[in-house]
Amino acid sequence: MVESRLLEYQGKITTDSLGIPLEGEQIVNFPDYKSPYGFTECVIAFHEGKIHKKGDYAAFFVDGHREYWENGRFVSAVSAYELQEKLPLD
């Protein structure tokens, strides 16, 4: 089973700098010391401040990792490796 990279968001309401719950897709940068930029980007869909997108991925990472979330609860994820095309080794 693939785990979430966003468990700190589980059950939480995320707000902007004015305290308003986030709505729609937001670009979020996470520290990533393996990256030459020092961070990795993720697009996260929010509804009323919770990660949510019914029937589709709610979080997309630039490396291809994707996560399903509903009403602030992690449902499942597809790792970047699983999304890569499998090529024969001949």
Side-chain angles (χ1 to χ4, degrees):
M1 179 176 175
V2 179
E3 295 185 12
S4 173
R5 295 181 181 177
L6 303 171
L7 285 179
E8 67 270 16
Y9 288 90
Q10 182 92 342
K12 294 188 178 172
I13 295 176
T14 305
T15 61
D16 65 13
S17 61
L18 299 174
I20 299 169
L22 294 178
E23 192 68 39
E25 292 184 342
Q26 307 287 323
I27 296 174
V28 180
N29 294 326
F30 294 97
D32 181 356
Y33 303 106
K34 295 178 185 175
S35 166
Y37 305 109
F39 66 90
T40 189
E41 282 186 344
C42 178
V43 177
I44 302 174
F46 290 93
H47 178 64
E48 297 177 354
K50 296 179 182 178
I51 299 178
H52 174 81
K53 194 163 191 179
K54 189 170 178 91
D56 202 359
Y57 298 109
F60 299 84
F61 285 80
V62 295
D63 67 0
H65 179 89
R66 297 176 183 183
E67 298 187 8
Y68 287 101
W69 286 71
E70 289 188 12
N71 298 314
R73 294 269 174 224
F74 174 69
V75 176
S76 66
V78 178
S79 71
Y81 175 77
E82 290 177 41
L83 292 169
Q84 292 176 358
E85 182 178 349
K86 306 298 186 272
L87 300 174
L89 297 175
D90 339 327

